[in-house]
Amino acid sequence: MATVTLTQENFEQTVSGGGIVLVDFWATWCGPCRQFAPVFEEASEKFTDIVFGKIDTDDQQQLAMAAQITSIPTLMAFRDGIAVFRQSGALPTSALEDLIAQIKGLDMDEVRKKIAESEKAE
């Protein structure tokens, strides 16, 4: 599966669905973004059970602001509608594949339980 362009119109629907969604915040003028792009694209073809979305921060400034993006590239991961990872900087292929394995291995019942406990404590 190739990457999907995410915009304000389809972002919420895409990340709130079931399964895993990886989102790459990038810009055309960003050197590290251009280095990471083929790694992200290659992973999208290898892991066809995952949605790989790209957000051009110049084109989608409101989305970038809402996500509090301060440096790019920034990779965010969602699983079952819950943000489970966020990191700035380009990842090498091995690190991205390791991250995907970790996200697939998450016990989402435990994640939801921790979120509920955290919200209760506030």
Side-chain angles (χ1 to χ4, degrees), residues 6-122:
L6 296 179
T7 64
Q8 207 160 345
E9 289 73 38
N10 66 356
F11 176 78
E12 192 63 40
Q13 178 183 353
T14 302
V15 301
S16 64
I20 298 171
V21 180
L22 295 179
V23 180
D24 174 24
F25 288 86
W26 68 284
T28 54
W29 50 264
C30 165
C33 298
R34 288 195 305 271
Q35 287 179 317
F36 182 58
V39 172
F40 195 72
E41 188 70 37
E42 187 178 299
S44 77
E45 292 167 8
K46 183 174 182 177
F47 297 95
T48 56
D49 56 330
I50 296 175
V51 175
F52 287 78
K54 292 181 74 72
I55 296 176
D56 181 339
T57 57
D58 287 335
D59 186 51
Q60 298 295 317
Q61 292 180 13
Q62 287 182 310
L63 261 182
M65 285 186 350
Q68 300 176 333
I69 301 302
T70 56
S71 64
I72 52 175
T74 292
L75 181 65
M76 292 182 73
F78 298 83
R79 177 150 172 215
D80 301 338
I82 299 170
V84 295
F85 178 84
R86 175 193 181 115
Q87 179 177 309
S88 295
L91 294 176
T93 300
S94 59
L96 181 58
E97 290 182 359
D98 182 54
L99 171 65
I100 290 168
Q102 290 180 48
I103 294 167
K104 285 183 173 188
L106 284 174
D107 178 343
M108 290 309 291
D109 289 334
E110 187 64 29
V111 170
R112 284 187 273 279
K113 181 180 168 190
K114 286 182 180 178
I115 291 171
E117 289 170 359
S118 169
E119 289 172 351
K120 196 184 284 185
E122 289 178 358

